[in-house]
Amino acid sequence: MTPDNETKQQRTTTAQSRELGAELKAARRRAGLRGTRVAAELDWSTAKLSKLEKGWRGTSEWEIGVLLGKCGTDKPTRDRIMRLMREHHTGHFLRSHSDEPADVLLSLNLHERLATSLTCYEPLGIPALLQSEDYARSLLFSATHPPVTVEPAVRRRMDRQGVLSGEHVDGFAFYIHEAALHLWVGDRATMSGQAERLVHLSTHPKLTLRVIPTGAGNHPALHHASTVLTFRNGLKPLAYGQSDVNTAFVEDEQAIKSHLAKHVALSALALDSTESRKVLTEWANDHSRPNEDLQAS
C-alpha cells in the first residue's frame, strides 16, 4: 500500500467500519488485553490499532483474523466480525433484531452515543428514547419476547436513554403524532407516568418535543418512522428506520436528503414547542384525573 493510499484509507470511515471497529475493541477488552500489549505482540503501532478500533483504518481479512486469534475470540463472535469485515459498503445496510429488541444493536447504540444531533419521528408510539420504564415494560411484554427476557430488555432501553444527557449533544428533536398519545399502553398508571415524563422532558434545554396534530391529515411524511443523526469530526449523517424484524441504516447522500426532506415536512405539520407542551400538559392532566375511565373514551 502506498503512503497516499494508506492515508486515504485511514481517513475513510463509514457507519459499518465504525461498527466493525467497536466489535474489535469489545473483543480485545473482553480478553482483558491492553491495546499497547496487543499492538506490540502483533508488531503493529498503537496508532494502527487505535484507528482500526475507531473505524478509521482499513485492513486485511488476514490481519483481522490474527487480531481475533490474539484475543482468543469465540467462534460465534469471530464469525460475526468476519461477516462485518466482508460486508460491502453501499450506503445502506440492515441489522436484524428478530430475536431481541432493537436496543441491543451495536450500530444503533454506537451512533446514538456519537451523535451531536438527532431528529426522530414515530407515527404510532412514543419514541424509545422518551419512554418511561413502565411504558417500555408494557410494550416489551406485549411483544414476541417471553416474559423472562422483559426486565433485561427494559433495563437496556433505559440505559440507552443516557444519550439524552450527553455533554457533547447540541440538541435532540422528537416529532410525536397526537394519535400516539391516545393509543393505550399498559394500565392507567402507565399512561399517566408516560404523560408526566413527556411534560418533564419538554422542558429539557437540549430536547425539543413537537406534537403533530391529528388535523394534519394523511400526509405522506407521516406514514413511516425516521431518525436522522449528525456527528462532528466530518462524519457523514446517518439515518435509520425500523420494522418488527430489522433496522435499515442509510448514509447514502440521496437517502439522507430524502430523510431530511421528510423532516422538513414534519416540521411544517407539527405544532411549535410551546403549543406542543400545552398539548402534552393537557394529556397529562387528563390522565391524572380521578374516577375517569380514559381508556374507554
Side-chain angles (χ1 to χ4, degrees):
M1 181 184 295
T2 67
D4 286 345
N5 287 339
E6 183 175 8
T7 299
K8 183 177 180 180
Q9 207 163 7
Q10 287 176 349
R11 292 178 180 173
T12 300
T13 177
T14 67
Q16 289 160 279
S17 69
R18 292 190 292 273
E19 182 181 5
L20 173 62
E23 285 274 19
L24 295 174
K25 185 175 184 177
R28 175 178 61 77
R29 287 184 165 179
R30 282 194 297 269
L33 298 174
R34 295 178 63 86
T36 50
R37 173 185 167 184
V38 171
E41 292 183 357
L42 294 179
D43 198 24
W44 292 359
S45 68
T46 54
K48 174 177 177 176
L49 179 61
S50 175
K51 289 176 180 178
L52 184 60
E53 291 184 346
K54 292 177 180 178
W56 281 99
R57 181 187 177 107
T59 191
S60 68
E61 191 171 317
W62 183 84
E63 283 194 317
I64 293 291
V66 169
L67 175 58
L68 296 178
K70 174 62 65 177
C71 295
T73 308
D74 61 82
K75 187 177 186 304
T77 302
R78 191 165 62 247
D79 290 345
R80 182 176 69 251
I81 290 175
M82 296 312 290
R83 282 196 300 272
L84 289 176
M85 174 68 188
R86 296 165 184 150
E87 196 172 52
H88 292 295
H89 295 266
T90 63
H92 303 73
F93 61 99
L94 289 176
R95 292 293 178 263
S96 174
H97 46 79
S98 56
D99 296 326
E100 293 188 273
D103 306 84
V104 303
L105 294 179
L106 176 59
S107 198
L108 181 68
N109 284 274
L110 170 66
H111 290 101
E112 284 183 344
R113 290 195 302 269
L114 288 174
T116 55
S117 77
L118 176 151
T119 307
C120 172
Y121 167 65
E122 292 287 346
L124 291 176
I126 305 302
L129 290 175
L130 304 181
Q131 290 173 10
S132 69
E133 188 169 328
D134 286 341
Y135 187 97
R137 181 177 291 107
S138 296
L139 282 179
L140 293 166
F141 187 86
S142 61
T144 58
H145 314 289
V148 70
T149 67
V150 167
E151 288 310 314
V154 171
R155 183 46 42 206
R156 284 192 295 268
R157 183 157 299 180
M158 295 301 103
D159 290 345
R160 179 181 161 197
Q161 293 178 2
V163 299
L164 298 177
S165 56
E167 292 183 0
H168 66 290
V169 170
D170 294 328
F172 283 10
F174 297 88
Y175 293 103
I176 303 169
H177 200 289
E178 188 177 7
L181 305 181
H182 301 292
L183 291 176
W184 204 268
V185 175
D187 57 18
R188 180 168 176 173
T190 297
M191 294 298 287
S192 178
Q194 180 62 69
E196 291 174 2
R197 175 166 172 76
L198 290 182
V199 172
H200 172 71
L201 290 174
S202 71
T203 65
H204 192 293
K206 291 188 177 182
L207 299 183
T208 301
L209 276 60
R210 297 182 62 189
V211 174
I212 298 175
T214 53
N218 191 27
H219 192 284
L222 301 175
H223 294 178
H224 303 290
S226 169
T227 299
V228 176
L229 305 95
T230 65
F231 314 93
R232 294 197 180 100
N233 301 321
L235 303 186
K236 293 180 179 180
L238 179 69
Y240 69 81
Q242 295 177 334
S243 71
D244 291 340
V245 296
N246 60 46
T247 296
F249 294 91
V250 295
E251 57 183 352
D252 170 77
E253 184 176 353
Q254 285 304 120
I256 293 296
K257 285 182 178 179
S258 294
H259 277 272
L260 292 176
K262 174 189 180 80
H263 290 196
V264 169
L266 292 173
S267 180
L269 294 169
L271 302 174
D272 64 25
S273 298
T274 301
E275 289 299 318
S276 295
R277 188 175 300 119
K278 289 180 181 178
V279 170
L280 295 173
T281 301
E282 290 172 2
W283 184 56
N285 290 338
D286 284 344
H287 282 290
S288 67
R289 291 177 189 147
N291 304 319
E292 186 174 348
D293 189 1
L294 296 174
Q295 187 171 4
S297 62

